[in-house]
């Protein structure tokens, strides 16, 4: 979680930028509020999609080996771009993939 604290005027910097700066306070969780079933899968999915950040999620995930078509079981709108997802949504995507993969292995 973060909160905006104060504005720093451009004149406080050298060389002087064309915009004012800002100070942001960031508070970190001791334990993450959203827990992925598989951290490695979450990292793999996030890295893969952000390397193709101008593409829609459905385009980049469709080309990720080992997760297609499992990602389609999530309730996320996959026409969005990676930077629009919240941390909770990323965990939801990874957990959906992990669960679908586990279900497939059991059948």
């Amino acid at each position: 979680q973060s909160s905006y604290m104060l504005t720093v005027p451009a004149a406080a910097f050298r060389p002087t930028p064309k915009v004012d700066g800002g100070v942001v306070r960031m508070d970190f969780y001791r334990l993450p509020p959203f827990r992925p079933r598989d951290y490695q899968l979450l990292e793999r999915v996030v890295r893969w999609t952000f390397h193709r950040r101008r593409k829609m999620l459905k385009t980049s995930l469709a080309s990720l080996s080992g997760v297609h078509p499992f990602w389609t079981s999530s309730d996320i709108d996959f026409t969005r771009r990676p930077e629009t997802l919240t941390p909770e949504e990323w965990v939801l995507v990874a957990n959906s993939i992990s669960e679908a993969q586990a279900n497939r292995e059991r059948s």
Side-chain angles (χ1 to χ4, degrees):
Q1 193 171 12
S2 63
S3 56
Y4 186 81
M5 302 299 285
L6 62 109
T7 300
V8 180
F13 299 96
R14 296 287 178 253
T16 307
K18 295 180 182 177
V19 295
D20 290 335
V23 176
V24 178
R25 175 185 170 154
M26 298 182 75
D27 297 315
F28 296 94
Y29 296 105
R30 287 184 188 205
L31 295 173
F34 319 110
R35 295 217 162 183
R37 290 176 60 176
D38 182 343
Y39 279 96
Q40 289 178 335
L41 176 64
L42 174 64
E43 181 180 3
R44 186 169 165 231
V45 168
V46 171
R47 279 184 190 274
W48 183 266
T49 55
F50 271 94
H51 281 300
R52 293 146 189 83
R53 73 181 298 157
R54 297 308 311 151
K55 294 186 180 286
M56 289 185 286
L57 288 167
K58 67 180 181 178
T59 305
S60 55
L61 287 174
S63 63
L64 179 56
S65 175
V67 303
H68 183 70
F70 303 119
W71 57 269
T72 59
S73 63
S74 179
D75 293 329
I76 301 292
D77 175 10
F78 287 95
T79 61
R80 294 166 59 189
R81 299 192 191 283
E83 63 267 16
T84 67
L85 268 66
T86 64
E88 181 179 13
E89 289 173 318
W90 280 113
V91 171
L92 176 65
V93 170
N95 286 349
S96 295
I97 293 168
S98 179
E99 188 174 323
Q101 287 173 332
N103 288 339
R104 184 173 185 187
E105 289 173 5
R106 280 181 258 178
S107 14

